[in-house]
Amino acid sequence: MRTKRIYLASPHMGGGEQRYIQEAFDTNWIAPLGANVDAFEKVVADYVGAAGAVALDSGTAAIHLALRLLGVGQGDVVFCSSLTFIASANPILYQGATPVFIDSETNSWNMSPVALERAFRDYAKKGKLPKAVIVVNLYGQSADYDPLLRLCEQYEVPIVEDAAESLGASYKGKMSGTLGRFGIFSFNGNKIITTSGGGMLVSDDLKALQKARFLATQARDQAKHYQHSEIGYNYRLSNVLAGIGRGQMEVLEDRIIRKREIREGYHKELANIPGVTILDEQTYGRSTHWLTTMLLDSKRTGIRPTQIIEVLESNNIESRPVWKPMHFQPIFQEYSYYSHTEEEDVSAKFFAQGLCLPSDTNMSSIEMDEVVNVLKKLLSE
Ligand SMILES: *Cc1c(COP(=O)(O)O)cnc(C)c1O
């Protein structure tokens, strides 16, 4: 067994981070906030072409604040992609609202406009339109927004774009995170760039972002004494960690190029094996290919994703199943779900057949060849 583990996606520093951290130390702006936070917000907002950005301590916090800003509260309905990480949906429960989960379409794996339309029709009939739709961009690729935006505009419901996995991706010339009323990013350790933990809320609505800053710092009223009139949170990013973020933004494009090479390598070596499909880049924009994902038709490959994960693990290589859809989660059992069509549950199929391959930008070409060789041997047996 190899001694050095190959990871799915691990932190990959560029070298410039330490300079910004040192600045924070030199000026003693360890906390609160400070120049790194301001600069990190500006560089991310400029990069995606949003009017403004608010740096937060997680992507989850950013989604929570977006829902607060949209007035989501007790008893409200929020539509959300089902095939995603739980962090997309938990903030709906934080607000005492009711999630309704929406299936994926087959091309990008992201929200199905067909399912979304059925959900809108049903909830319009009930007189209970959602307060927001959370659309997730999975594995580095944007959802196909035109049909989603058309529906949301028709019903006058704002989109929160969960771009935690798609920083740097684009859709028809617009950057991921700028398609909805609010966009959110995550800088968790496994994401394409990381601050060890962190997130960002972006929007063109500067007034709303000002309110987000207020809510993220305990909602302290303008008064000499400590006075509070509504519920706030302690959600801001530390000035030290924002320094890591500034350095990471300088290498984001390098990371995207490498992620795309990794996906290209897997595609070249594996896509022609019968029963194997590697998720493609859609024609409407650039995917970062944050994680390369693969579908297996086990009847043709003779092997299931879980078996592949086990064999890779025995070689000290990390791989993962595709996200378990929210409508299969014990915590969300009581909530409604709209599958792609009445007959076809697309995310259930991706969950059953999919896996995420090691996509670590720290991985060398030799290491990647090792992974490919293990996979080829398994899939040709
Ligand atoms: C990582 C992730 C989040 C949450 O980000 P944190 O920074 O870990 O809170 C939200 N949504 C998706 C789809 C993610 O992958």
Side-chain angles (χ1 to χ4, degrees):
M1 190 171 94
R2 58 190 334 284
T3 49
K4 183 169 165 244
R5 187 164 170 77
I6 297 177
Y7 290 99
L8 199 68
S10 69
H12 188 171
M13 294 297 110
E17 296 84 3
Q18 299 223 311
R19 183 160 48 90
Y20 297 113
I21 296 171
Q22 193 59 48
E23 274 176 31
F25 277 70
D26 290 345
T27 55
N28 200 35
W29 278 111
I30 306 302
L33 302 169
N36 279 337
V37 170
D38 296 343
F40 186 37
E41 288 178 345
K42 180 154 182 7
V43 76
V44 171
D46 289 351
Y47 175 77
V48 299
V54 179
L56 300 164
D57 61 6
S58 73
T60 312
I63 298 170
H64 188 197
L65 287 179
L67 296 186
R68 263 296 296 269
L69 294 168
L70 292 172
V72 172
Q74 198 77 36
D76 287 330
V77 170
V78 175
F79 292 174
C80 180
S81 301
S82 186
L83 189 63
T84 185
F85 178 48
I86 187 96
S88 307
N90 267 338
I92 303 170
L93 298 188
Y94 299 167
Q95 285 306 103
T98 303
V100 171
F101 295 107
I102 312 290
D103 199 7
S104 302
E105 44 89 4
T106 50
N107 295 326
S108 73
W109 298 24
N110 293 316
M111 189 178 279
S112 157
V114 183
L116 180 64
E117 183 164 26
R118 284 210 327 285
F120 265 132
R121 240 187 280 128
D122 281 2
Y123 278 79
K125 231 181 285 165
K126 290 186 209 181
K128 194 91 192 105
L129 280 173
K131 273 277 177 72
V133 178
I134 301 172
V135 180
V136 182
N137 305 318
L138 285 171
Y139 300 124
Q141 178 149 264
S142 176
D144 187 0
Y145 277 93
D146 278 350
L148 302 175
L149 281 165
R150 214 173 299 127
L151 284 166
C152 289
E153 275 158 22
Q154 182 190 332
Y155 289 97
E156 297 179 12
V157 178
I159 287 179
V160 174
E161 189 183 2
D162 181 346
E165 301 180 6
S166 64
L167 176 64
S170 68
Y171 180 76
K172 299 188 176 174
K174 293 189 83 176
M175 294 301 280
S176 218
T178 63
L179 278 305
R181 180 88 59 88
F182 295 101
I184 77 96
F185 299 110
S186 166
F187 309 110
N188 191 29
N190 61 351
K191 299 303 196 299
I192 195 158
I193 60 166
T194 183
T195 58
S196 85
M200 193 80 80
L201 179 69
V202 301
S203 181
D204 284 337
D205 184 345
L206 292 176
K207 237 177 101 191
L209 292 183
Q210 208 42 47
K211 176 91 195 225
R213 287 190 176 85
F214 166 76
L215 292 173
T217 46
Q218 307 287 18
R220 188 174 164 190
D221 291 341
Q222 295 278 357
K224 279 211 184 67
H225 43 278
Y226 285 88
Q227 178 181 298
H228 307 268
S229 312
E230 56 185 312
I231 296 179
Y233 316 94
N234 186 3
Y235 274 171
R236 284 292 250 160
L237 185 67
S238 110
N239 194 51
V240 178
L241 299 187
I244 304 180
R246 287 178 79 182
Q248 286 273 280
M249 280 303 286
E250 292 170 359
V251 293
L252 174 58
E253 185 57 26
D254 295 345
R255 299 294 175 266
I256 294 172
I257 290 168
R258 181 65 189 139
K259 292 275 192 192
R260 290 174 58 86
E261 277 173 9
I262 289 169
R263 188 258 167 206
E264 192 56 42
Y266 283 127
H267 188 266
K268 192 165 129 263
E269 297 289 340
L270 305 172
N272 56 1
I273 298 173
V276 173
T277 313
I278 305 285
L279 177 59
D280 278 324
E281 179 174 56
Q282 302 303 300
T283 52
Y284 51 63
R286 188 193 199 200
S287 171
T288 67
H289 294 306
W290 168 58
L291 295 183
T292 298
T293 50
M294 175 164 93
L295 285 182
L296 290 183
D297 179 351
S298 299
K299 280 197 210 78
R300 295 170 77 195
T301 58
I303 188 165
R304 281 176 288 117
T306 46
Q307 294 171 295
I308 293 191
I309 291 168
E310 273 169 36
V311 174
L312 287 172
E313 189 57 47
S314 70
N315 285 277
N316 208 8
I317 298 167
E318 184 185 24
S319 61
R320 292 264 179 95
V322 163
W323 298 125
K324 180 172 184 166
M326 295 301 110
H327 67 285
F328 289 152
Q329 298 290 349
I331 190 176
F332 293 131
Q333 270 324 290
E334 64 191 278
Y335 300 109
S336 302
Y337 172 61
Y338 285 82
S339 54
H340 182 53
T341 65
E342 305 277 4
E343 299 79 36
E344 194 187 8
D345 187 340
V346 170
S347 57
K349 179 185 129 180
F350 291 153
F351 176 57
Q353 301 189 353
L355 77 156
C356 303
L357 298 175
S359 308
D360 192 0
T361 50
N362 288 301
M363 175 170 65
S364 70
S365 304
I366 293 164
E367 288 168 334
M368 180 156 167
D369 287 346
E370 277 186 59
V371 178
V372 165
N373 288 336
V374 174
L375 288 169
K376 271 184 157 169
K377 189 156 166 283
L378 280 173
L379 292 165
S380 63
E381 271 169 357

